[in-house]
Amino acid sequence: MIEDALRYQTQGDDWVKRVALGGVVLFFGFFIVPLFTFQGYMLEVMRRVLRGETDRPPAWDELGLVDITVDGVRHTVVVLGYGLLLTLVLAIPGAMIIGGGLAGSEGLLLSGVLVIALLYFVGVIAMTVILPVATGSFLRADSIAAGFDRDVLTSVGTNRTMLMAVVMAFAVNIIVSIGSSILGITIIGYLAVPSLAFVGQSAIMYVWGRGFADAYEEEYGEPPLATVTDGTHTGPATTGTASGVDDQTGDSDAGDAGWSDDTDGDGFGTSAWDDAGDGDSGRR
């Protein structure tokens, strides 16, 4: 799975151009708007993986830059929502601990700081697990509200397949970080770091997408998004959708359907989860 994810952006004859453009967009991220465009492209990567389209990364010239930028903004709302929620949950006990420490001894204050550090670590772990699931749910229904679907968060977020994907994505991040550190030693290498980051983030979204798709199918007995057929797809599965969330009506970007070569008879990848066993059965 990790190897497939890292090689994902190297598919196709125009992969150098695609990766270079991705690096340019990320390089100009200090203008803020390109960051949303970059994030929107990554969401398109994950959306295609959710549909089983792993053999053709999206080309920049086939995407609407305004559309993917807006998509990036919408997803940022989901991310900030969870960040604010976790901050509030952790800040209240943290403030109480600090207040008690200030009123007591230095030992109590030091203990309070250590507890806050522990709470921060727990928050980071929570976000690491929550964000892939929230992103998958957001893309499944094409809705900000779906990104906060508690049923999907609890079922898919605790699924062993999804948890394995989270670990693999973390491993990809480490590999890319090491590669970026090595490239950053020279000026020429430093200029290539944004393109490497583009490849790395695409790999992470690839892993998230494969993990979410397999875990969702295990829990609900159906894929999160239907595969493309004759240029259209039937939209996301509705099981577990939050009330009031509108289903996605379709996407304009059609591609060849089907998983990559390492697939089983049902169309879902097997190479990533060979060590995971048979997995849990679908939701009863």
Side-chain angles (χ1 to χ4, degrees):
M1 166 67 84
I2 293 178
E3 181 180 357
D4 291 340
L6 290 172
R7 294 175 58 185
Y8 173 71
Q9 280 292 344
T10 64
Q11 300 179 96
D13 297 333
D14 59 343
W15 72 270
V16 174
K17 174 184 176 182
R18 185 174 60 246
V19 170
L21 286 175
V24 170
V25 173
L26 184 58
F27 179 81
F28 287 101
F30 54 85
F31 287 117
I32 307 301
V33 173
L35 287 179
F36 295 128
T37 305
F38 180 86
Q39 182 62 19
Y41 179 93
M42 292 305 158
L43 292 172
E44 179 60 24
V45 168
M46 186 171 178
R47 181 182 290 112
R48 295 193 179 196
V49 173
L50 289 177
R51 292 202 300 256
E53 304 170 35
T54 60
D55 58 341
R56 189 175 68 90
W60 285 99
D61 56 5
E62 69 183 35
L63 301 176
L65 294 183
V66 174
D67 292 337
I68 64 174
T69 301
V70 172
D71 221 15
V73 173
R74 294 168 64 228
H75 180 255
T76 300
V77 173
V78 176
V79 175
L80 292 178
Y82 282 107
L84 178 61
L85 179 61
L86 284 175
T87 298
L88 292 176
V89 170
L90 299 178
I92 294 176
M96 295 176 62
I97 292 172
I98 290 293
L102 291 175
S105 63
E106 293 182 359
L108 289 176
L109 180 60
L110 177 59
S111 298
V113 172
L114 293 177
V115 171
I116 291 176
L118 178 60
L119 290 175
Y120 174 79
F121 177 76
V122 171
V124 171
I125 297 298
M127 287 292 284
T128 302
V129 176
I130 290 173
L131 283 184
V133 181
T135 302
S137 186
F138 164 79
L139 293 173
R140 177 185 61 85
D142 192 23
S143 166
I144 292 176
F148 300 93
D149 189 330
R150 288 182 297 176
D151 182 61
V152 175
L153 286 173
T154 55
S155 59
V156 178
T158 57
N159 181 280
R160 184 173 62 173
T161 298
M162 187 70 239
L163 293 176
M164 288 180 61
V166 171
V167 174
M168 289 183 181
F170 183 73
V172 169
N173 187 53
I174 292 177
I175 293 173
V176 174
S177 297
I178 293 174
S180 297
S181 299
I182 295 174
L183 285 177
I185 295 176
T186 64
I187 296 178
I188 296 178
Y190 182 79
L191 295 176
V193 169
S195 294
L196 178 60
F198 172 79
V199 172
Q201 188 60 36
S202 293
I204 290 174
M205 301 303 282
Y206 179 100
V207 174
W208 282 9
R210 290 288 296 270
F212 185 90
D214 288 353
Y216 189 94
E217 198 274 340
E218 290 174 11
E219 294 294 330
Y220 295 103
E222 58 187 4
L225 287 178
T227 55
V228 172
T229 303
D230 297 329
T232 60
H233 71 88
T234 59
T238 56
T239 305
T241 304
S243 59
V245 176
D246 294 333
D247 288 342
Q248 185 176 341
T249 58
D251 290 292
S252 60
D253 37 59
D256 296 333
W259 296 99
S260 56
D261 293 337
D262 57 339
T263 58
D264 57 20
D266 296 326
F268 286 89
T270 58
S271 62
W273 324 118
D274 287 341
D275 297 330
D278 292 333
D280 298 330
S281 59
R283 180 179 293 272
R284 299 293 188 269

